[in-house]
Amino acid sequence: MIEKRDFYINGQWVAPAAAKDLNVIDPSTEEVCAVISLGDQADTDAAVAAAKAAFADWGFSKKEDRLALIEKLLAVYQKRSDDLAEAMSIEMGAPIDLARTSQVGSGTFHIQNFITAFKDFEFDKMLGAHAPNDRLLYEPIGVCALITPWNWPMNQVSLKVVAAMAAGCTMVLKPSEIAPLSSIVWSEIVDEVGFPDGVYNMVNGDGMGVGTQLSTHPDVDMVSFTGSTRAGIAISKAAADTLKRVSLELGGKGANIIFDDADEKAVKRGVMHMMQNTGQSCNAPSRMLVQRGVYDQAVEAAREAAEKVQVGPASKEGRHIGPVVSELQWNKIQDLIQVGIDEGARLIAGGTGRPEGLNKGYFVKPTIFADVNNQMTIAREEIFGPVMAMIPFDTEDDAVEIANDTVYGLTNYVQTQDGTRANRVARHLRSGMVEMNGTSRAAGSPFGGYKQSGNGREGGILGIEDFLEVKAVSGWSND
């Protein structure tokens, strides 16, 4: 078992105000892998007070000083990469090779991109040549509550914490209580770097406890949350009484539109993308829309691809998918697979129950449904597991209409060799991101969605701007 750690408040590790322990479960074995303490109001108040006190200096610190600390943060993060990978593999079931590359690598990627964006960021700008004595000052919003999920722990922690640090904010991090171990390692990294006391604080807790306490706290100026749409709505309501800014990155039900001229690897690529991280990604391409003329061959290609996906424990090296994160998630996914069958979708791969040879652990069969229509439950709800729905369409307009017929709007995908059509479809898709023909978004590209997928943008310049206020000053002296 991983050793229990206390909370990180005001530059030191402190014991919780009241002892309320929670077991952390290894989803590969269903056994307890660690025990953490859950914070209460006193812990939350202490962390917020430390952040508020630190803001008086940190909020007016020099850009170059903050940059130097973030550059050191990157170096220490890379030094602790093996510890981070082990923690994420154990706590949320990421296969160890995936944990070492994609899970840890996402944090490295974001920290590097924030450093690049931060170097050129202007916190003080002239309004325009027509008004030489008017300035726009970009100032940190203040104390920020950062509430992160379990599915991509370091991806989300780095996107929030580093952006807030660069902006000059102080913060309290509440990681997911399901997967808190990597955030404890992250807090050790921040401690080693030597940020001023109170700039960064971490309190473990659940959503109903510390999450709600932070969302309603009068001394918290902003909440940045990543997680379910249901929780995002609750946080928005809780924060409304104090009118604090709420930035949300929520769920998705991405459409992957396969036109009849898509490249020959498009279907397999879509299936493999869906299965990455065991389908536990908000931007997963969970609805594959296929033009009718190539639909039958696409169904066969998807079946073949899914049947080649191997499932195994997170500790096992190699290219396979691991378990889903918890018994709760496993049960939800099993129920939705059964609903798909009951509603008449054609099961072409996978199904209910554990994969053959795995009698323990929260393992799910890589599952593909064909002949789905967009009104079926499996086409409407975010399943958050290795389950994909295939939907036929006739025309470009049909594809766009089906893709947009969802409460979500995070990421959509387009596969066609007709560049004009690809661009046209991208413009009509109601989502914060569109990826075409297997091309991933570039470094610094903002991550976020439309509709019930959220309202903020993370990463790069826009990620830093999310934590800033804009002050207009007239009569500025240029002497």
Side-chain angles (χ1 to χ4, degrees):
M1 288 204 325
I2 291 177
E3 182 181 354
K4 181 178 175 180
R5 267 291 202 178
D6 294 325
F7 302 154
Y8 188 77
I9 299 175
N10 205 28
Q12 57 187 329
W13 295 97
V14 298
K20 183 181 179 183
D21 289 344
L22 177 73
N23 291 335
V24 180
I25 305 299
D26 180 338
S28 290
T29 64
E30 303 183 41
E31 296 175 357
V32 176
C33 62
V35 179
I36 62 167
S37 296
L38 296 180
D40 65 7
Q41 188 69 57
D43 301 303
T44 301
D45 289 345
V48 172
K52 183 178 180 181
F55 182 71
D57 290 329
W58 183 254
F60 295 91
S61 59
K62 294 180 180 180
K63 174 183 174 180
E64 54 266 31
D65 292 342
R66 300 201 299 275
L67 175 61
L69 286 167
I70 294 170
E71 289 176 329
K72 186 177 179 182
L73 177 70
L74 175 61
V76 180
Y77 180 93
Q78 291 173 317
K79 183 180 72 173
R80 296 291 304 274
S81 62
D82 286 344
D83 296 330
L84 288 164
E86 180 185 4
M88 286 185 282
S89 183
I90 292 171
E91 69 188 357
M92 52 79 59
I96 188 61
D97 284 355
L98 179 76
R100 289 171 180 151
T101 54
S102 296
Q103 289 281 1
V104 172
S106 64
T108 304
F109 180 78
H110 293 310
I111 300 170
Q112 289 172 332
N113 291 333
F114 277 130
I115 289 171
T116 300
F118 187 42
K119 286 179 178 178
D120 296 328
F121 196 94
E122 294 182 51
F123 289 86
D124 180 340
K125 300 178 183 179
M126 186 170 70
L127 177 63
H130 68 290
N133 298 110
D134 278 49
R135 309 294 293 187
L136 296 179
L137 306 182
Y138 292 80
E139 299 183 340
I141 194 168
V143 176
C144 299
L146 312 178
I147 303 175
T148 56
W150 48 260
N151 61 321
W152 286 93
M154 285 301 101
N155 183 77
Q156 293 306 131
V157 168
S158 61
L159 279 172
K160 297 182 190 300
V161 171
V162 181
M165 288 171 169
C169 295
T170 56
M171 68 214 70
V172 180
L173 172 68
K174 189 208 84 66
S176 168
E177 70 277 16
I178 297 174
L181 307 180
S182 55
S183 289
I184 292 173
V185 177
W186 169 272
S187 299
E188 293 174 352
I189 291 168
V190 174
D191 183 61
E192 182 176 341
V193 171
F195 282 85
D197 292 351
V199 168
Y200 168 87
N201 307 273
M202 188 275 291
V203 176
N204 280 312
D206 57 21
M208 294 298 293
V210 174
T212 299
Q213 293 158 16
L214 288 169
S215 301
T216 58
H217 203 291
D219 290 333
V220 170
D221 301 291
M222 174 180 173
V223 178
S224 178
F225 169 77
T226 298
S228 71
T229 296
R230 176 191 53 77
I233 292 170
I235 286 171
S236 297
K237 290 178 178 179
D241 287 342
T242 49
L243 289 177
K244 53 175 56 69
R245 183 185 297 175
V246 178
S247 180
L248 302 171
E249 196 277 283
L250 307 174
K253 194 67 181 176
N256 185 10
I257 303 174
I258 312 285
F259 284 101
D260 56 11
D261 67 339
D263 68 88
E264 62 181 12
K265 295 181 180 179
V267 172
K268 179 181 179 181
R269 184 168 64 239
V271 172
M272 300 311 292
H273 190 170
M274 180 62 234
M275 300 301 163
Q276 186 191 32
N277 205 40
T278 319
Q280 300 172 121
S281 300
C282 50
N283 62 340
S286 54
R287 293 181 296 156
M288 181 177 283
L289 280 52
V290 183
Q291 198 156 23
R292 204 172 296 275
V294 294
Y295 179 74
D296 288 343
Q297 64 194 66
V299 168
E300 180 61 20
R303 182 192 62 78
E304 291 178 358
E307 289 180 349
K308 291 179 181 177
V309 176
Q310 296 184 352
V311 184
S315 58
K316 177 183 174 182
E317 297 192 355
R319 293 179 58 118
H320 61 280
I321 65 173
V324 296
V325 74
S326 68
E327 182 181 13
L328 181 67
Q329 287 295 118
W330 191 87
N331 286 331
K332 173 193 170 185
I333 294 164
Q334 297 302 311
D335 289 346
L336 284 167
I337 292 173
Q338 187 60 52
V339 167
I341 295 169
D342 294 343
E343 291 186 354
R346 177 161 58 104
L347 184 67
I348 63 170
T352 56
R354 290 181 175 86
E356 185 177 352
L358 294 169
N359 299 317
K360 194 174 185 181
Y362 307 127
F363 298 100
V364 177
K365 296 174 183 177
T367 298
I368 307 286
F369 283 100
D371 303 348
V372 177
N373 68 63
N374 209 45
Q375 302 313 310
M376 290 181 177
T377 303
I378 58 172
R380 310 300 295 180
E381 293 192 19
E382 186 179 36
I383 299 174
F384 230 61
V387 182
M388 191 183 81
M390 300 186 72
I391 303 172
F393 72 88
D394 293 305
T395 68
E396 179 182 316
D397 288 345
D398 291 337
V400 171
E401 182 179 358
I402 294 168
N404 288 338
D405 181 21
T406 173
V407 298
Y408 298 109
L410 190 59
T411 312
N412 286 306
Y413 303 82
V414 180
Q415 318 296 329
T416 176
Q417 297 183 60
D418 183 337
T420 300
R421 176 164 61 183
N423 293 349
R424 184 171 60 242
V425 171
R427 285 187 176 277
H428 284 89
L429 291 171
R430 297 286 297 163
S431 58
M433 297 168 285
V434 179
E435 297 185 11
M436 300 192 286
N437 298 318
T439 302
S440 299
R441 292 171 301 109
S445 179
F447 191 100
Y450 291 8
K451 301 188 283 185
Q452 291 188 28
S453 287
N455 56 22
R457 293 296 181 271
E458 294 185 316
I461 291 173
L462 290 181
I464 297 173
E465 288 182 350
D466 235 19
F467 290 91
L468 296 171
E469 295 277 23
V470 181
K471 179 185 289 182
V473 181
S474 60
W476 188 268
S477 174
N478 294 309
D479 295 339

